[in-house]
Each structure stands twice: as structure tokens, then as C-alpha cells.
Amino acid sequence: MALITRDVDRFQAARPRLEAIAYRLLGSASEAEDAVQETFLRWQAADVERIEVPEAWLTKVLTNLCLNQLTSARARRETYVGRWLPEPLLAGDPMLGPADTVEQRESVSYAVLVLLERLSPNERAVYVLREAFDYPHREIAEILDITEAASQQIHHRARKHVAAGRARTEIDEAAARRIVEEFLAAATSGRTEPLVRLLTQDAVSVGDGGGKVPARAKAFEGALAVAKFLRGLFKPSAAKRAHIGGAAEIYATTANGEPAVVAVVDGRVVGVTCLEVSERGIVALRSQVNPDKLVRASAQWAAADHGAPLYTL
């Protein structure tokens, strides 16, 4: 059925919320956009006049599309080259969605998105809808075709899994920048000791190159091992510049609400490293260098002025 302007406008008004839900469910901005577009096609084909609550209908369709995608994605990731990490979103990206509460901010943090990969599709959906968008369990049950009691149980289980692997620390933008500046000063000092002091003893460093950019599949574990790796990573060399296509300008920002280091070559983002921080220090470094997962970050980066880089590699 052809949609009238009012119905198209109704969908467009819901689009930002749908994209934010889909991103949290899938961990991929490009896949989230595809899911939202498919939801629009189904909206376009539906008898809109008979849909009593359009927002609920759209959320149900989108969530179930994402659940199907998650199921197939798990099979694809078994053959993924190296470690799979989510697609990072830089500060200001509208797909980050609501950030009014601690729960909303945490639900889109890079650390939590990594943890959500361990949940079943239903656990992930319940967690996202409840924590990030404050859906009541009655509505979640209707969206997922489960009972309200089941939704409550799934949510309790999902929260427990996420809390067990998460170091909760709230960091504002100014503090995030200070952390990155201190980290870069240590990483570019040429010595391991300053880095070891910033890292927790059980710190880990992982990277996602997608088989297109070199990235170690196995995580570096322990402060000393991570520090030695970072010391080498931030040591300038002609070979590195040749590999990435030029000198990398290093900036401090936030990605998914976490302190982040962004590497830029000729205006193109070639790497985003998110720092998970606790009161004890830097717990984890997760680096996204797969160019397919940095397209959106590059477009967003190019649209704003970021001042002078802190360092050039």
C-alpha cells in the first residue's frame, strides 16, 4: 500500500529511536541502518490505518528483524578472521541514542556492547529494551511473544551476566580527555613503566582487523604484556606509515561514551581504541581497525573540526 505523507513522517519521527535500538542489538551501525530500512519497507506494505499503536508495531518488527540477524550473525562470526568487536560510534553520533540515565549510557558503552555478545538474542533484546529505553516488561513480552514473567527472569539473568564482566565507572568528557592525554604521554614515552602504572594488573588489549588490517587474534593479557605491545605500537616508523598510507594523526575523544584514541590519516579514521577505565586504572583497550567498521566514524569525523592532533605517528 502506498503511504501518505503523514505516515512517512510518522516513521521518520520514529527512525532515530529505531536506529538506536538496532545498533545496541546488533553492534553494527551499517546493519542497524539495514534493519531500520527493512522495517520501513514492512511499514510501507502494511495496512497502516489498522495499526493502533504505530510505535509498538515498529519496535516489534524491528526487534524481530534484529533477532533474526543476530542468529545468522553468530554463524558468520564463527568464520570471522580474528577477534570480532562492535562498530564504534564517535561522540555526537545520533545513533548512540538516549543518554539521560546511567543505564542508558552504559547500555551503549563499548565495554557493554562486547559483553552483550555473550548473551542469547532474547537476553540481549530484553536487556536493551529495558535498560536503554525503559520499556515495561509487559510491552517487552508483547514484542518478543513471551510472558511478562519470562521477560522479568530474562532481564534479571542478562543484568547479572553484564554486571559480572563490567567495571562501572562514570567519566565525563573532560575527564575522558585527561585520561587519553595521560595515556598517550605514557604510550609515546618509549618506556613501559609509565604505561604499567596506568594499567590494572589484569589489563587486556584486543583488536579487530577483520582480516583486512593486521590485528592479533589473541588478546594481550597483563599490564606488562599490554605495555610492551603499546610501546611498540606507538613507536613511529616508515614501515607503519607506508602500511596505513601516511602519517597518523592521533586525537583524544570519546566513543560510545568511553575515553577513546582516534587515529586519522588524510582525514580518514583508520583506528579507534576505546579505553575501559575503573578506579584501579585502565582495565581494557579495544581497538577497531577494520576499515569496513570505520566508514561511519570517518564520515562523522570529517564533518567537524577537531583542532590539532595530540601526536603524529
Side-chain angles (χ1 to χ4, degrees), residues 52-102:
E52 295 181 4
V53 186
E55 181 179 286
W57 188 94
L58 291 169
T59 303
K60 183 179 179 72
V61 169
L62 174 79
T63 301
N64 282 284
L65 285 170
C66 289
L67 289 178
N68 291 338
Q69 181 77 357
L70 281 173
T71 301
S72 62
R74 292 198 168 202
R76 292 198 308 274
R77 286 170 195 171
E78 289 180 2
T79 59
Y80 191 82
V81 179
R83 183 69 67 96
W84 187 95
L85 290 175
E87 181 177 344
L89 298 182
L90 300 181
D93 193 313
M95 198 175 279
L96 288 169
D100 298 326
T101 68
V102 172

Side-chain angles (χ1 to χ4, degrees), residues 10-214:
R10 189 180 296 175
F11 181 87
Q12 293 301 333
R15 183 183 285 274
R17 179 180 56 83
L18 295 175
E19 288 186 344
I21 292 173
Y23 172 71
R24 283 167 167 83
L25 288 176
L26 300 172
S28 165
S30 58
E31 290 179 5
E33 289 174 338
D34 290 344
V36 171
Q37 184 59 28
E38 179 61 29
T39 302
F40 175 71
L41 294 177
R42 297 195 181 194
W43 172 252
Q44 191 175 36
D47 186 352
V48 173
E49 294 301 321
R50 299 185 63 181
I51 298 175
E52 295 181 4
V53 186
E55 181 179 286
W57 188 94
L58 291 169
T59 303
K60 183 179 179 72
V61 169
L62 174 79
T63 301
N64 282 284
L65 285 170
C66 289
L67 289 178
N68 291 338
Q69 181 77 357
L70 281 173
T71 301
S72 62
R74 292 198 168 202
R76 292 198 308 274
R77 286 170 195 171
E78 289 180 2
T79 59
Y80 191 82
V81 179
R83 183 69 67 96
W84 187 95
L85 290 175
E87 181 177 344
L89 298 182
L90 300 181
D93 193 313
M95 198 175 279
L96 288 169
D100 298 326
T101 68
V102 172
E103 290 77 14
Q104 288 172 340
R105 292 189 291 274
E106 283 196 341
S107 70
V108 79
S109 73
Y110 211 60
V112 166
L113 287 179
V114 169
L115 290 171
L116 292 182
E117 287 294 308
R118 304 178 186 178
L119 304 182
S120 70
N122 261 18
E123 287 174 335
R124 187 165 184 160
V126 171
Y127 183 89
V128 166
L129 292 172
R130 182 65 182 156
E131 295 290 310
F133 298 91
D134 201 28
Y135 275 83
H137 285 291
R138 175 181 53 79
E139 292 185 24
I140 296 174
E142 292 173 357
I143 290 169
L144 298 177
D145 293 323
I146 59 178
T147 66
E148 188 171 345
S151 176
Q152 292 170 338
Q153 291 170 358
I154 292 170
H155 178 239
H156 176 75
R157 188 165 63 243
R159 283 196 74 181
K160 187 176 181 180
H161 285 319
V162 172
R166 173 77 169 125
R168 295 184 62 165
T169 302
E170 277 273 88
I171 298 172
D172 61 28
E173 192 169 337
R177 183 176 179 84
R178 288 195 299 272
I179 289 168
V180 174
E181 289 175 347
E182 188 176 3
F183 167 76
L184 284 175
T188 57
S189 69
R191 297 182 295 124
T192 58
E193 293 84 358
L195 280 166
V196 170
R197 287 195 293 270
L198 292 179
L199 300 166
T200 62
Q201 285 303 305
D202 57 351
V204 297
S205 177
V206 297
D208 177 352
K212 300 184 178 183
V213 174

